[in-house]
Amino acid sequence: MRATVTTFGDHLATAVARYGPLCAGIDPHPELLRAWGLGDDAAGLERFARGAVAALAGEVPIVKPQSAFFERHGSGGIAALERALADAREAGLLTLLDVKRGDIGSTMGGYADAYLAEGSPLAADAITVSPYLGFGSLRPALDAAEAAGRGVFVLARTSNPDGGEVQLADRDGRSVAQHMIDSAARRNAGAEPLGGVGVVVGATHDHGLDLGELNGAVLAPGLGAQGATPADVAARFAGLRGLVLPAVSRALLGAGPDPEKLRAEARKWRHELTDARN
């Protein structure tokens, strides 16, 4: 008899098999709040985030709130984020909190407690982390995620043009970005069906990375408003040993605030991604 599902890799693989490969970003840009007829304040933010979660539950496997747009509203914004995360948990919707935290020692442990520990009001199923203080600096978050059955997505090759200054630098004959992927692969070795350490690789340009041994998920931002298409995603991540999570935010959320229009837009993106992959 198969053991009870406890790992993030298990949860993610199951959700993607059911709902398809689409990560729905929840990025409450001021212009999106206005388009939804909401104020650019904590109250409008909460209505936006919780409305998106309610509409998308049952249509996508995972949602990705962008922490910065909540933090800009102070304690009220953080409270709105907590409630949106709680709504997602109640609805059985996986959450990937985009916080891009990275530090050393006890400080990184503090971030791990905030976002990955059981019982934390800000705990998500997975978070994004920055490894550019060294992959080893992530150990507190990696260990906390593994212990709690959660995941992390390590920045490897981001979509911003300036990222190449660091990420494409040579380190012993391979790029720094490739080193991060290889380090994630070592953490995932032997996991079935997927390890809990994913990587972030933008879908907006050819990345030139070897993802064959990752055995984890690739978060691929850039779909929609940033210019990447479903066909780009299929071409750039062919041969991946794991799964790819294309992320779309503004091009999806712009269909709101009507819940049915949001659901229809999510189904459209999901079908286009599946068709391109096939």
Side-chain angles (χ1 to χ4, degrees), residues 168-256:
L168 297 182
D170 182 86
R171 183 183 186 275
D172 299 327
R174 56 180 174 163
S175 68
V176 171
Q178 186 66 57
H179 172 71
M180 299 307 173
I181 291 167
D182 294 345
S183 298
R186 285 192 289 272
R187 289 284 306 205
N188 289 334
E192 292 291 344
L194 290 174
V197 184
V199 296
V200 180
V201 177
T204 53
H205 49 67
D206 293 333
H207 51 76
L209 299 168
D210 181 1
L211 297 164
E213 298 303 317
L214 177 62
N215 193 31
V218 175
L219 176 68
L223 192 64
Q226 294 183 54
T229 67
D232 291 330
V233 172
R236 288 170 181 159
F237 298 99
L240 169 67
R241 183 168 173 247
L243 61 84
V244 61
L245 281 174
V248 61
S249 176
R250 282 170 286 176
L252 169 60
L253 296 172

Side-chain angles (χ1 to χ4, degrees), residues 26-34 40 45 48 69 72 249-250 253:
I26 299 181
D27 297 7
H29 291 267
E31 58 267 29
L32 276 173
L33 293 172
R34 288 192 294 270
D40 186 10
L45 182 72
F48 180 95
F69 291 109
R72 66 189 286 268
S249 176
R250 282 170 286 176
L253 296 172

